[in-house]
Amino acid sequence: MDTTAASRLDELLLSDYDHTLDHGGISGKRIAQRLYELSKIGLTDENGSYRIGFSAEEKLAKQLVANWMTEAGLSVKQDEAGNIIGRLAGNDEELPAILSGSHVDSVPNGGHFDGPLGVLAALEVVEAWRETGFKPTHPYEVIIFSDEEGARFNGGLTGSRAMTGDIDVENQLSLVDSEGANFQTVIENNGLSLDTFFQAKRDLSKIKAYVEVHIEQGKRLEKENLPVGIVSGIAGPSWLKITLSGEAGHAGNTPMDDRKDALVAAGELLAAIPALPKMVSSTAVATVGKLHVHPNGVNVIPGRVELFVDIRDIYEDKVDALVALTIEKAAAISESHGIKTTFEQTLKVSPMLVQDDMKELLEQSLQKMAIKPYFLPSGAGHDAMVLGRHVPSAMIFARSRKGISHNPEEWTTLSDCVQSVHVLKNMIESLDEN
């Protein structure tokens, strides 16, 4: 983001906006102004966003959007987990509701689009209907989920997990933030109650579908020169801890041909891992982002190395295949160096594939706007992944400049934001008809 203009995000967004996109009741100016108003809450010195989960800033941002919901004619409530739910009555209140939304919390010094765009897009559909006099048959709900990013407790998706009942109470209660405050203290300081927090689970049979707009956080759409894309699936991370155990020794007195150097073996494994994902899937990825060397002395041959591999794909069987292939490669390298290797899977989250009928409806929505339908996976987790385990769910990605995210430089043009709203509106109306 241009730091000289960051204090007026709306003006920067509107400076190159294609105003022909203002039709069907959708207003680019309104979206820009609301993104700006949200950007002022928790604004950092670097012009980023600091609204971590269950903070005063997240709560203030929720309240601001809740006010806009009320002004748009929605009935607004906060559930036991702090999720904000704005409901527009349908012509038939007995039908299951259609949901859309996202989150307003951020990582420390994050961007201004990750989360807020999805919330404001969902609300803009209501604003457009109000201006055109349209009333849906199904109830429609705009949702702000609590603590999606998980920056406070290194977790995340807390609000959506609470709403679906996919939350481990014992694990949640064991969480402590960087300042030593436990989960109970944090939520009670945020005006919530531990006695009722885990009662946020909804009757999911009363939800027809969930659709979320989000920035891509990648470069695929930019490379394809497309404003929006259709998410084909959301990858689930599988974390593999690999421990390579050799023999520590003196760096000067141990001959090169008489060593069991765990770090040399680990280095060979690090070099081999990038070639493994393409052997199982075109959408799989593998990353080593954490490494511990023991005893970590300048003049000591490393006797043990622990490394963590983050493996992801939108297909669960491909994740399992890549984990197995990584273990096989590590075992072979270790054997060649005469060292031992152990393995531990420390995290496994199932991916979520978007149902074919949901993708088809999104494809039709893009075609109505003369946009080439482009399908792409999401490597990051979203609230749609949690909802998608229980109800039909879909995601619309808006193009990200240079793929930058979780950073003050995060940027999506207003034209691309508004195009994503049009796609969402078309999608919601199609779901309402079926």
Side-chain angles (χ1 to χ4, degrees):
M1 185 187 300
D2 180 357
T3 56
T4 62
S7 61
R8 289 310 306 252
L9 179 66
D10 55 341
E11 293 179 359
L12 189 58
L13 282 165
L14 286 163
S15 64
D16 59 354
Y17 175 56
D18 179 0
H19 288 273
T20 64
L21 294 171
D22 283 347
H23 59 83
I26 292 173
S27 167
K29 182 178 180 180
R30 180 167 50 225
I31 294 169
Q33 288 177 332
R34 288 177 171 178
L35 282 168
Y36 167 57
E37 291 300 323
L38 282 172
S39 76
K40 293 191 291 185
I41 302 174
L43 186 67
T44 69
D45 291 341
E46 295 80 19
N47 295 303
S49 176
Y50 192 97
R51 294 192 299 266
I52 63 173
F54 302 116
S55 65
E57 292 80 12
E58 183 200 34
K59 185 175 183 179
L60 188 59
K62 286 178 179 177
Q63 290 172 338
L64 177 60
V65 179
N67 291 340
W68 293 333
M69 289 179 177
T70 300
E71 292 169 3
L74 302 182
S75 60
V76 182
K77 70 175 183 178
Q78 176 177 279
D79 73 8
E80 294 85 347
N83 299 313
I84 302 297
I85 303 168
R87 184 179 175 98
L88 178 68
N91 288 322
D92 187 347
E93 277 291 285
E94 296 302 313
L95 290 174
I98 300 169
L99 276 57
S100 183
S102 195
H103 61 97
V104 294
D105 67 308
S106 75
V107 299
N109 204 31
H112 298 299
F113 298 84
D114 178 352
L117 175 59
V119 171
L120 296 180
L123 180 55
E124 188 63 22
V125 171
V126 177
E127 299 283 12
W129 287 343
R130 186 167 64 143
E131 292 195 18
T132 59
F134 176 83
K135 185 173 182 180
T137 302
H138 290 72
Y140 174 67
E141 295 183 0
V142 179
I143 312 291
I144 309 174
F145 289 109
S146 300
D147 187 39
E148 190 269 358
E149 295 288 3
R152 183 184 288 277
F153 295 112
N154 295 314
L157 304 169
T158 307
S160 53
R161 288 189 293 118
M163 183 178 286
T164 57
D166 290 346
I167 194 163
D168 186 313
V169 176
E170 184 177 348
N171 179 70
Q172 205 69 28
L173 292 178
S174 71
L175 299 177
V176 178
D177 69 12
S178 60
E179 297 181 357
N182 61 31
F183 180 75
Q184 178 177 353
T185 299
V186 168
I187 65 168
E188 289 181 349
N189 287 342
N190 200 241
L192 303 173
S193 169
L194 185 65
D195 292 336
T196 58
F197 187 91
F198 300 102
Q199 298 174 15
K201 184 181 185 304
R202 292 182 60 166
D203 181 352
L204 300 176
S205 68
K206 295 183 179 180
I207 299 175
K208 178 181 175 67
Y210 173 74
V211 187
E212 181 173 348
V213 170
H214 204 279
I215 59 169
E216 181 193 352
Q217 302 174 287
K219 300 179 182 179
R220 290 182 177 90
L221 291 173
E222 188 174 59
K223 289 180 178 179
E224 294 290 329
N225 194 29
L226 292 170
V228 294
I230 301 167
V231 175
S232 55
I234 303 174
S238 181
W239 292 355
L240 184 63
K241 177 183 177 182
I242 302 176
T243 303
L244 302 98
S245 301
E247 290 181 0
H250 195 287
N253 292 327
T254 308
M256 296 302 295
D257 61 357
D258 192 27
R259 298 185 177 201
K260 294 183 179 180
D261 190 325
L263 185 55
V264 169
E268 188 174 330
L269 178 58
L270 286 171
I273 284 175
L276 300 181
K278 63 183 178 183
M279 298 172 66
V280 299
S281 170
S282 62
T283 52
V285 294
T287 307
V288 177
K290 189 174 183 180
L291 196 75
H292 295 307
V293 180
H294 305 272
N296 204 31
V298 174
N299 60 347
V300 183
I301 298 168
R304 187 174 82 256
V305 174
E306 297 168 352
L307 60 88
F308 295 80
V309 191
D310 181 312
I311 293 170
R312 303 186 186 217
D313 196 17
I314 60 175
Y315 305 102
E316 189 157 17
D317 60 333
K318 300 300 183 182
V319 171
D320 294 340
L322 185 49
V323 168
L325 190 60
T326 303
I327 290 174
E328 180 183 333
K329 175 61 71 173
I333 290 172
S334 298
E335 184 177 358
S336 70
H337 287 270
I339 65 175
K340 297 178 180 179
T341 306
T342 59
F343 309 93
E344 179 186 355
Q345 195 161 37
T346 61
L347 175 71
K348 190 176 193 299
V349 178
S350 296
M352 190 277 284
L353 283 173
V354 178
Q355 296 177 5
D356 288 343
D357 57 345
M358 295 290 280
K359 289 189 292 186
E360 288 169 5
L361 287 176
L362 279 178
E363 186 173 8
Q364 294 167 13
S365 296
L366 266 69
Q367 289 170 340
K368 287 180 183 178
M369 298 178 62
I371 299 173
K372 173 187 171 184
Y374 181 76
F375 297 88
L376 69 166
S378 171
H382 301 281
D383 292 309
M385 178 174 69
V386 179
L387 272 292
R389 299 191 184 111
H390 303 275
V391 300
S393 297
M395 286 196 76
I396 300 159
F397 270 172
R399 174 169 46 189
S400 293
R401 186 175 68 185
K402 298 181 181 179
I404 296 172
S405 184
H406 285 188
N407 183 302
E409 294 295 320
E410 180 179 276
W411 188 259
T412 293
T413 67
L414 182 58
S415 294
D416 289 351
C417 291
V418 172
Q419 297 225 53
S420 72
V421 179
H422 279 291
V423 174
L424 176 66
K425 179 172 175 286
N426 288 337
M427 176 67 168
I428 298 298
E429 290 172 356
S430 295
L431 285 167
D432 189 55
E433 293 172 1
N434 292 289

